[in-house]
């Protein structure tokens, strides 16, 4: 944009200078020529009385004196061919002057003017003045140089002013762009300069207002989520008390463990809702996956599901919080139990990635995905559920610098691959 403004201003100034300078340069040359011709005419008029009344002996020194004092070549030609003053040819213009007709014309080297003088004592005479080209253009070159210098100064001044204006506009626009990018990355503390020039200042103020409003909405949303999660703690406490009253210790322990898991999820939701962005998050994928698999193995035994495990030894640090990873693993394993019939076998594989991080694969031998379904989209489900399970896993993968992919093996079923990157430094 800065270059376009400079080009526009330069083109405008050049057009104005051309429209102004060319006529002025022509006028300067015309004025210089008119001044030289007027001076020569005045000199010739001073000689007219002398040529008309004086004799030849008196006329000669006067003409020579005038010729020496004027830059033009002054001559007096008489009817008998006598030439007084500067040497001059007997041109056709001189012949017209001897017949009583004054005239002027362009000749090589300057401009020739002839003034007829009749009734002189020595017969008809002619005052011839030759104004050289140097006199016709005296001072024109210097005036043109001054005009060109003035044009250059005006052009440079216009470009300097345009550059300062363009710089301020470009800087303000760049600032708006950078603030927008920071807001897009989640830096809600970014603010634009409201003192930017003209309409850019209005846009900056509107962008700052938008950023402030987004911050307020997110703060309210976090508080609402935290409050809602906090309210769940009361019924969870009641469930824990009910579990402790069960007569079967194993059944009581299993239900208490489930309540503890829900309690951890609620606590994680509260912490995540009130947690500020930008903090470093990491977890040991090997420990988290092994712990959640042990929890779900109890339910697998109750539903006659064969479980194949291939879990790498830890630690396998990944770039996501422990609570988020637990919710992700629970979502993937919960989908197996929710969308496959009892007795369907499934497998869990966990391995490290070459560049750091971990790769988790959950596969089952169930019916697989319905045609055209995309269960990774939030709220989309092919099995009548809320459609949030795989979306939670996808968001965890995205937050951890990885990705979530779904595959349909040739033998049927579904294979979910979750890749997580290593923690950021």
């Amino acid at each position: 944009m800065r270059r376009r403004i400079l080009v526009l201003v330069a083109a405008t100034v050049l057009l104005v200078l051309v429209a102004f300078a060319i006529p002025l340069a022509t006028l300067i040359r015309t004025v210089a020529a008119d001044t030289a011709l007027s001076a020569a005419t005045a000199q010739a008029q001073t000689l007219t009385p002398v040529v008309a009344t004086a004799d030849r002996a008196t006329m000669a020194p006067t003409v020579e004196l005038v010729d020496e004092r004027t830059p033009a070549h002054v001559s007096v030609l008489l009817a008998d061919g006598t030439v007084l003053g500067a040497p001059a040819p007997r041109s056709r213009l001189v012949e017209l002057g001897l017949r009583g007709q004054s005239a002027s014309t362009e000749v090589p080297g300057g401009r020739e003017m002839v003034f007829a003088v009749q009734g002189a004592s020595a017969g008809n005479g002619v005052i011839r003045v030759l104004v050289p080209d140097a006199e016709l253009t005296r001072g024109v070159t210097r005036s043109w140089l001054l005009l060109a210098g003035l044009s250059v100064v005006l052009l440079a001044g216009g470009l300097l002013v345009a550059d300062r204006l363009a710089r301020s506009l470009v800087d303000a626009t760049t600032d708006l762009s950078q603030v927008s990018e920071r807001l897009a990355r989640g830096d809600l503390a970014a603010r634009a300069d409201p003192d930017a020039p003209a309409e850019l200042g209005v846009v900056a103020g509107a962008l700052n207002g938008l950023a402030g409003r987004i911050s307020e909405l997110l703060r309210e949303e976090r508080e609402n989520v935290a409050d809602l999660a906090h309210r769940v703690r009361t019924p969870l406490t009641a469930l824990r008390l009910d579990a402790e009253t069960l007569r079967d210790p194993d059944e009581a322990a299993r239900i208490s463990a489930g309540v503890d898991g829900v309690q951890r999820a609620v606590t994680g939701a509260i912490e995540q809702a009130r947690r500020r962005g930008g903090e470093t998050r990491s977890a040991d994928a090997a420990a988290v996956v092994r712990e959640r698999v042990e929890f779900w193995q109890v339910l697998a035994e109750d539903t006659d599901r064969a479980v194949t495990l291939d879990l790498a030894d830890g630690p396998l640090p990944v770039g996501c919080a422990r609570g988020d990873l637990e919710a992700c693993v629970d979502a993937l394993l919960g989908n197996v139990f929710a969308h496959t019939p009892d007795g369907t076998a499934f497998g869990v594989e966990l391995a490290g990635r070459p560049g750091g991080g971990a790769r988790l694969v959950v596969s089952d031998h169930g019916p697989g995905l319905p045609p055209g379904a995309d269960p990774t989209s939030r709220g989309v489900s092919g099995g009548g559920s809320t459609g949030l399970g795989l979306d939670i896993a996808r968001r965890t993968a995205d937050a951890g610098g990885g990705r979530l992919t779904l595959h349909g093996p040739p033998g049927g079923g579904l294979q979910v691959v979750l890749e997580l990157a290593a923690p950021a430094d």
Side-chain angles (χ1 to χ4, degrees), residues 74-256:
V74 181
S75 307
V76 175
L77 292 88
L78 302 179
D80 59 1
T82 302
V83 179
L84 303 176
R90 197 177 182 89
S91 62
R92 296 179 58 186
L93 204 63
V94 172
E95 293 292 343
L96 291 175
L98 291 175
R99 297 192 191 97
Q101 184 176 354
S102 300
S104 66
T105 187
E106 296 286 342
V107 295
R111 186 172 185 86
E112 181 182 15
M113 295 188 298
V114 173
F115 303 92
V117 180
Q118 297 180 350
S121 59
N124 290 343
V126 174
I127 301 174
R128 177 184 180 271
V129 180
L130 177 63
V131 183
D133 290 332
E135 290 300 317
L136 293 174
T137 59
R138 180 182 294 275
V140 172
T141 301
R142 186 178 69 173
S143 299
W144 283 1
L145 290 176
L146 290 176
L147 183 60
L150 178 61
S151 300
V152 172
V153 171
L154 291 175
L155 178 60
L159 290 178
L160 179 60
V161 173
D163 181 69
R164 293 179 64 88
L165 176 61
R167 186 188 298 273
S168 63
L169 294 176
V170 170
D171 291 345
T173 305
T174 304
D175 178 66
L176 284 176
S177 175
Q178 292 175 350
V179 170
S180 300
E181 292 177 356
R182 290 172 60 188
L183 291 175
R185 293 195 299 266
D187 183 8
L188 298 181
R191 292 295 183 271
D193 183 10
D195 297 329
E199 288 77 5
L200 293 178
V202 179
V203 176
L207 184 62
N208 292 340
L210 177 62
R213 183 56 180 162
I214 292 175
S215 300
E216 294 177 1
L217 293 175
L218 289 178
R219 189 182 305 111
E220 293 177 0
E221 181 181 0
R222 292 192 185 102
E223 293 301 328
N224 290 334
V225 172
D227 293 343
L228 180 62
H230 186 74
R231 295 172 187 174
V232 180
R233 286 182 170 180
T234 300
L236 286 177
T237 303
L239 285 176
R240 179 185 295 278
L241 295 176
D242 292 340
E244 292 176 355
T245 60
L246 294 176
R247 296 180 179 180
D248 188 351
D250 296 335
E251 189 73 12
R254 185 175 65 84
I255 295 178
S256 296

Side-chain angles (χ1 to χ4, degrees), residues 280-288 315-326 357-358 420-423:
T280 302
R281 298 181 296 174
S282 63
D284 182 6
V288 172
L316 291 177
V318 294
C320 63
R322 179 182 179 88
D324 295 340
L325 184 57
E326 289 178 349
L420 298 174

Side-chain angles (χ1 to χ4, degrees), residues 262-295:
V262 177
Q263 183 74 26
R264 286 194 302 271
V266 170
T267 302
I270 296 175
E271 293 177 351
Q272 184 176 8
R274 291 179 172 173
R275 182 171 52 210
R276 293 185 177 180
E279 62 181 8
T280 302
R281 298 181 296 174
S282 63
D284 182 6
V288 172
V289 172
R290 190 175 300 277
E291 177 183 335
R292 302 318 300 160
V293 166
E294 291 177 357
F295 172 82

Side-chain angles (χ1 to χ4, degrees), residues 335-418:
N335 279 339
V336 175
F337 288 86
H339 301 294
T340 60
D342 294 347
T344 302
F346 68 93
V348 181
E349 300 178 14
L350 178 66
R353 297 175 62 190
R359 183 175 185 268
L360 175 65
V361 180
V362 178
S363 57
D364 63 67
H365 300 283
L369 293 176
D374 183 15
T376 60
S377 299
R378 190 172 183 85
V380 176
S381 174
S385 64
T386 60
L388 299 181
L390 289 180
D391 178 68
I392 293 174
R394 178 188 59 79
R395 293 172 59 189
T396 302
D398 294 341
R403 62 176 180 171
L404 176 73
T405 56
L406 305 180
H407 304 283
L414 176 65
Q415 185 181 69
V416 182
V417 181
L418 174 69

